């Protein structure tokens, strides 16, 4: 299988254990964060904590965990660019081939009765959109999956072909950019409403 290393970091845990088991059983190294890592480990899926990759702890109540060159360099490196690959080697960075991320539940949070502005702000994802956008930008080399409904298709394609074709990669990138655009629009509209009030 061409995918050797995956980063899984999801707010919505639907289907993530099944996907994690599939990847692990096919020899894929899995990197993960917080709650996702806990869910995978509890299900017996081998997983590497993102802090063990970055060499830096999660800080500020988890606000900063994946915003690190060891993650973003691993995602953004163009595999056909010798200078990019030399930079990875020089800084001891292993490429990430698959990123599975869905974002903090901002919509669900602001829909709750009596939710405070502080609670809403804490549910604005920063590292997630950064990883989604980085992966989508580099879709020729990195598969980005933002919705659990895509997991079955992903597993089926990997099982059958050992890889994800370029058309599907581009389709997933389009979906990812659309997802982050909608997310940012929702936050913008929320803040606009707060200002009006």
């Amino acid at each position: 299988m061409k995918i050797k290393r995956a980063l899984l970091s999801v707010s919505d845990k639907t289907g993530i254990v099944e996907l994690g088991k599939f990847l692990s059983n096919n020899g894929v190294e899995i990197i993960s964060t917080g709650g996702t890592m806990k869910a995978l480990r509890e299900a017996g899926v081998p997983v590497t904590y993102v802090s063990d990759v970055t060499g830096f702890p999660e800080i500020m109540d988890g606000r900063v965990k994946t915003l690190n060159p060891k993650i973003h360099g691993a995602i953004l490196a163009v595999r056909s660019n010798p200078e990019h690959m030399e930079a990875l080697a020089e800084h001891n960075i292993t490429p990430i081939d698959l990123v599975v991320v869905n974002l903090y539940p901002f919509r669900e949070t602001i829909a709750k009765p009596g939710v405070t502005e502080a609670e809403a702000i804490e549910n604005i994802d920063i590292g997630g959109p950064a990883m989604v956008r980085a992966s989508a930008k580099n879709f020729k080399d990195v598969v980005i999956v933002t919705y659990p409904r895509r997991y079955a298709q992903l597993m089926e394609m990997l099982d059958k072909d050992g890889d994800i074709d370029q058309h599907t990669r581009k389709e997933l990138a389009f979906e990812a950019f659309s997802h982050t655009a909608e997310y940012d629009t929702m936050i913008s509209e929320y803040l606009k409403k707060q200002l009006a009030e």
Side-chain angles (χ1 to χ4, degrees):
M1 194 157 66
K2 288 195 176 179
I3 289 173
K4 303 294 183 193
R5 200 166 187 237
L7 192 153
L8 278 52
S9 181
V10 294
S11 176
D12 179 355
K13 307 292 188 291
T14 304
I16 200 64
V17 167
E18 183 185 3
L19 178 61
K21 285 180 178 178
F22 170 84
L23 294 170
S24 180
N25 290 341
N26 282 278
V28 178
E29 178 194 356
I30 299 172
I31 302 162
S32 194
T33 60
T36 307
M37 182 188 69
K38 184 174 181 283
L40 292 170
R41 282 190 174 165
E42 285 176 354
V45 178
V47 58
T48 302
Y49 186 31
V50 73
S51 290
D52 293 332
V53 174
T54 63
F56 203 88
E58 287 189 28
I59 59 172
M60 301 174 193
D61 301 316
R63 280 186 169 205
V64 181
K65 50 195 170 205
T66 57
L67 296 167
N68 186 286
K70 293 268 188 177
I71 300 301
H72 285 271
I75 292 171
L76 283 165
V78 176
R79 311 308 198 255
S80 60
N81 185 323
E83 291 181 4
H84 285 203
M85 299 313 287
E86 285 169 18
L88 289 186
E90 180 184 350
H91 298 287
N92 194 28
I93 298 172
T94 305
I96 292 171
D97 310 301
L98 168 67
V99 174
V100 180
V101 170
N102 55 59
L103 309 177
Y104 291 174
F106 185 79
R107 184 190 308 277
E108 293 80 359
T109 299
I110 61 172
K112 292 175 185 174
V115 69
T116 66
E117 185 177 279
E119 289 169 326
I121 297 297
E122 278 308 305
N123 278 278
I124 296 175
D125 205 322
I126 302 300
M131 288 189 292
V132 169
R133 289 173 55 81
S135 306
K137 175 177 180 172
N138 201 22
F139 70 85
K140 289 184 179 179
D141 293 316
V142 181
V143 177
I144 174 65
V145 181
T146 51
Y147 293 107
R149 66 173 180 262
R150 286 288 196 170
Y151 298 170
Q153 177 193 17
L154 178 76
M155 291 187 283
E156 186 180 332
M157 289 184 84
L158 289 173
D159 199 39
K160 182 171 176 260
D161 305 320
D163 200 4
I164 304 300
D165 64 74
Q166 285 298 313
H167 176 80
T168 304
R169 286 169 179 260
K170 188 180 284 188
E171 187 177 57
L172 290 167
F174 163 74
E175 201 168 82
F177 278 122
S178 298
H179 183 50
T180 56
E182 289 166 10
Y183 193 76
D184 283 343
T185 299
M186 181 171 48
I187 294 165
S188 175
E189 289 299 319
Y190 170 79
L191 292 174
K192 182 180 177 182
K193 184 180 174 187
Q194 293 296 105
L195 282 167
E197 291 173 356

